[in-house]
Amino acid sequence: MADTQRSPSPLPDQDLHDQRRWRHGRERDVGFAIGRYLQPPPLFFTRDGHNLFLGDLYRGQAAFLVCGGPSLATHDLSLLQQRGLLTLAVNNAATIVRPQLWTSVDNPGHFADVIWRDPGIWKFIPLDHMEKPFRVRDTHDQLVPSAEKVGDMPAVVGFRRNEYFRAEQWLHESTFNWGNHSHRIDADGNKGSRSVFYIALRLLYVLGVRTVYLLGCDFRMEPGQQNYAFEQDRSLASIRSNNSSYRILNTRLGHLKPYFDAEGFQIFNCTPQSGLTVFPTLKYEEAIHQAQVTIPQRINTRGMYDSQATPTTPQAVPTSRCSPPTSAEPRSAPPILPNAQSWTSSETPLTLLVYAEAKQWNRFQKLWQTCTQRWKWFSQLPAIICHNLGPAVSPQERLCERPGETRWINVPGEGTESHHIPSEAFSYAVQHTASPWLLCLTAAAEVRSEEQGAGLDFSWFHRRPGSRYAY
């Protein structure tokens, strides 16, 4: 009789267990390897638990990962707002740079409401935070809980975390690892240590990004110093804790790097004097140029809505490295190139396409100086300078300044024969210049003075798609 009068439980334990099992699959703090031949489990969720598939959304693209270190303020961050650049910011770094993507793992109240309310930012957060408030300023400028929940905000995506770091499966786990639980000690003797930095890198990998440029990753804090790019104080205990996390991150990222390399997941550190030592360094401006390789610098919409326009068949960009013209190709100079003096005129536009190969760098420098000294027009031409010198050498500092517009682009690889131009350089030139002619210069070129009556060898010219002449 007593059993029949007992009030039913408003939320049976069985339902709670089902919900937990549905959300976590296995233990909350442990992920499991997905495997190469299995359909991957869902990684992203809406507020109501519906699956979102965002895998490879940015397939093969580059992205800037913006952290909040004080060095962030030393960069010209307006460059990040250019076309073609993808940015992911963590925590309150998004108050300094407005990114397209953002992520956090701490309590939502730690982050500015301007981030939560911005519909132009995709916000990736732990699923557990969907029903929590963030914080806003009241009329007395005090922080108080918001009336809205995080899940009420636009473009919010949830993910599930795990707290068991294992480098061998980190890139392909069913959940997002963000370090170790405080009760775990890893193989290196490090206890605990979690960070949003893990989440940011894994998130970019899942979204298909394969080149990451790090900004604001100072990875060090000092008492009495400004330790963020934004206004924020830290206690001595917090500084010690963060420095310990940076040390452990260096160790664990070192374990991850071989797996990153095997997957073609490249990371470059653009942070000056960074405490993060695992990844190669690269200048911020060079990273900007590299990330914009495929973005046209000239926009021309003329004729795009004209369905009656005469179709043209574009000439394919060379897929192999260029070589001297064959006997079947005409070799005489066409009338459009009467002399060197007219090459920079508006009637016969010309762009200098240069390849500085690492093995021929010293020879190339001498060639460059010779051309600059002998021909004034050489320095005035717009130039695209491709190189494979890597981040250790800054070609901008080693070559004399040019009054003409110059763009630098790194073409990775072991290099090629000195008389060849890589196809990647041609692809870049075709997309980033409107000039119908390209003057190709490599370290193997033989420069003869104009006093000898020879000038430049016409065999250096190659037709750009749309040009009237080729030889």
Side-chain angles (χ1 to χ4, degrees):
M1 198 63 174
D3 290 340
T4 59
Q5 294 177 350
R6 181 186 304 169
S7 299
S9 172
L11 192 61
D13 288 343
Q14 289 83 356
D15 290 354
L16 284 176
H17 296 326
D18 287 346
Q19 287 284 338
R20 288 170 181 159
R21 179 60 58 183
W22 170 68
R23 289 190 182 277
H24 296 293
R26 300 192 184 184
E27 293 302 321
R28 172 181 66 86
D29 60 342
V30 178
F32 63 90
I34 294 172
R36 299 291 183 176
Y37 302 102
L38 295 177
Q39 181 176 350
L43 294 173
F44 302 113
F45 305 87
T46 68
R47 180 185 190 180
D48 300 314
H50 300 306
N51 300 339
L52 286 174
F53 183 76
L54 300 176
D56 288 345
L57 187 66
Y58 299 102
R59 180 176 297 178
Q61 296 301 302
F64 287 83
L65 172 50
V66 183
C67 299
S71 67
L72 185 63
T74 66
H75 296 301
D76 179 4
L77 300 176
S78 66
L79 298 177
L80 293 175
Q81 304 305 315
Q82 299 178 88
R83 288 181 183 271
L85 299 184
L86 177 66
T87 52
L88 165 69
V90 301
N91 299 344
N92 280 321
T95 63
I96 305 297
V97 174
R98 182 178 183 249
Q100 295 95 335
L101 311 172
W102 178 81
T103 190
S104 69
V105 286
D106 292 334
N107 188 290
H110 291 315
F111 310 116
D113 62 331
V114 68
I115 302 172
W116 296 114
R117 298 185 187 281
D118 194 333
I121 301 176
W122 281 79
K123 295 164 278 287
F124 294 84
I125 64 167
L127 199 55
D128 177 52
H129 291 174
M130 285 288 188
E131 303 307 319
K132 295 180 179 179
F134 45 98
R135 289 195 293 176
V136 296
R137 297 279 179 181
D138 64 12
T139 56
H140 302 289
D141 203 35
Q142 298 299 308
L143 287 170
V144 297
S146 62
E148 309 101 320
K149 301 294 178 60
V150 167
D152 295 322
M153 296 298 100
V156 178
V157 177
F159 59 81
R160 299 174 297 162
R161 296 167 288 179
N162 79 69
E163 298 173 328
Y164 186 8
F165 175 83
R166 287 173 290 183
E168 67 276 7
Q169 69 175 49
W170 190 89
L171 280 173
H172 302 286
E173 288 180 309
S174 59
T175 52
F176 286 71
N177 173 262
W178 62 312
N180 270 356
H181 189 274
S182 58
H183 297 308
R184 277 204 172 90
I185 299 177
D186 62 24
D188 297 297
N190 297 312
K191 183 178 180 181
S193 184
R194 299 173 301 191
S195 172
V196 68
F197 196 75
Y198 297 105
I199 298 293
L201 288 181
R202 175 77 195 286
L203 175 61
L204 289 173
Y205 180 80
V206 171
L207 293 177
V209 169
R210 288 299 178 267
T211 302
V212 179
Y213 303 108
L214 304 177
L215 296 177
C217 293
D218 293 67
F219 268 49
R220 62 164 60 88
M221 288 190 176
E222 299 178 17
Q225 300 297 318
Q226 178 65 32
N227 290 306
Y228 292 99
F230 43 84
E231 184 180 357
Q232 180 64 58
D233 294 328
R234 295 261 75 177
S235 66
L236 290 177
S238 295
I239 290 174
R240 286 194 298 268
S241 176
N242 277 283
N243 283 332
S244 175
S245 293
Y246 297 146
R247 176 186 59 80
I248 296 173
L249 263 168
N250 260 305
T251 300
R252 290 179 181 164
L253 290 171
H255 293 319
L256 286 171
K257 191 174 185 303
Y259 298 99
F260 291 173
D261 294 342
E263 295 287 345
F265 189 42
Q266 297 181 302
I267 301 175
F268 297 95
N269 194 349
C270 303
T271 306
Q273 290 83 49
S274 174
L276 175 58
T277 59
V278 174
F279 305 112
T281 60
L282 188 68
K283 286 193 172 182
Y284 171 60
E285 292 76 14
E286 177 67 13
I288 292 288
H289 285 312
Q290 289 188 16
Q292 288 186 302
V293 168
T294 61
I295 303 302
Q297 299 302 299
R298 177 174 176 267
I299 300 176
N300 184 358
T301 60
R302 186 173 59 252
M304 288 187 171
Y305 287 173
D306 187 0
S307 60
Q308 302 302 317
T310 303
T312 59
T313 302
Q315 179 173 327
V317 176
T319 56
S320 60
R321 313 206 185 279
C322 73
S323 58
T326 64
S327 57
E329 297 174 318
R331 297 184 60 88
S332 59
I336 197 172
L337 299 173
N339 57 68
Q341 300 303 318
S342 66
W343 288 351
T344 58
S345 71
S346 59
E347 297 179 355
T348 57
L350 179 69
T351 292
L352 182 65
L353 176 59
V354 175
Y355 181 55
E357 205 273 321
K359 297 178 181 178
Q360 298 284 342
W361 176 241
N362 291 333
R363 183 177 179 182
F364 177 82
Q365 284 183 291
K366 295 179 181 179
L367 173 65
W368 184 267
Q369 293 172 357
T370 300
C371 292
T372 302
Q373 293 170 359
R374 291 183 178 178
W375 300 303
K376 181 179 179 181
W377 54 264
F378 180 89
S379 297
Q380 297 173 343
L381 289 174
I384 297 175
I385 303 179
C386 302
H387 62 89
N388 70 338
L389 303 175
V393 178
S394 175
Q396 295 93 321
E397 297 177 355
R398 301 288 295 275
L399 299 179
C400 57
E401 293 294 328
R402 305 179 68 254
E405 178 187 0
T406 305
R407 294 185 62 85
W408 298 83
I409 174 63
N410 184 32
V411 181
E414 296 297 326
T416 181
E417 296 298 328
S418 58
H419 60 280
H420 286 169
I421 299 285
S423 59
E424 295 91 336
F426 276 105
S427 299
Y428 183 86
V430 166
Q431 296 177 26
H432 290 77
T433 179
S435 300
W437 289 93
L438 301 175
L439 171 58
C440 305
L441 181 64
T442 70
E446 294 183 2
V447 179
R448 292 166 289 178
S449 68
E450 291 184 331
E451 287 76 10
Q452 294 176 316
L456 292 176
D457 187 346
F458 281 129
S459 67
W460 293 354
F461 287 87
H462 295 272
R463 189 179 73 169
R464 181 181 181 276
S467 175
R468 293 172 54 198
Y469 301 95
Y471 61 95

